[in-house]
Amino acid sequence: QLQASGGGLVQPGGSLRLSCAASGFSFNSYAIGWFRQAPGKGREGVSCASVSGGRTFYSGSAKGRFTVSRENAKDTVYLQMNSLKPEDTAVYYCARFLGSHPIAGTWANPHLYDSWGQGTLVTVSS
């Protein structure tokens, strides 16, 4: 089970940190990804962290502004989001990858994730 939290309303240029708490499985055996879905749009891969967090992946829109990290001792993955823009408004989901080490060509494919959290809403607006 995955539980995402930390969303809210923030002004453009602001920051938020999302958390994804895992339970019920061996957390440090799986990569964890973050996706988002804006109203009327499909689910988009945002970022992913390998089992150790040593390898990370970002979408083009997230690169340079977002940072994914994980704390295996707490079974938690974080997504630090800085310099937020109105176009970042979406429901953010965390999900468990079908493996421990995704590669550049696979991490953003939602069909390669088998367990999803309930989502947390991020609204960027003045």
Side-chain angles (χ1 to χ4, degrees):
Q1 186 176 359
L2 296 166
Q3 179 96 12
S5 62
L9 173 64
V10 63
Q11 291 187 341
S15 298
L16 279 176
R17 188 175 82 155
L18 305 184
S19 298
C20 174
S23 62
F25 65 94
S26 181
F27 179 73
N28 57 7
S29 295
Y30 294 89
I32 301 293
W34 285 98
F35 287 75
R36 67 185 182 187
Q37 188 163 17
K41 294 189 176 181
R43 197 161 290 192
E44 173 193 15
V46 176
S47 184
C48 183
S50 65
V51 290
S52 66
R55 190 161 191 200
T56 56
F57 303 87
Y58 297 95
S59 66
S61 60
K63 195 170 294 184
R65 299 188 300 128
F66 295 2
T67 302
V68 65
S69 61
R70 60 190 293 164
E71 194 169 356
N72 285 348
K74 294 186 177 181
D75 290 355
T76 302
V77 174
Y78 305 99
L79 185 67
Q80 177 67 43
M81 305 188 296
N82 299 329
S83 303
L84 283 162
K85 306 174 182 180
E87 50 264 43
D88 294 317
T89 295
V91 177
Y92 284 72
Y93 301 87
C94 57
R96 186 178 73 178
F97 184 74
L98 284 168
S100 58
H101 291 91
I103 60 175
T106 62
W107 75 267
N109 183 347
H111 298 294
L112 296 181
Y113 292 77
D114 67 345
S115 180
W116 294 78
Q118 87 290 358
T120 185
L121 176 63
V122 172
T123 303
V124 185
S125 174
S126 56

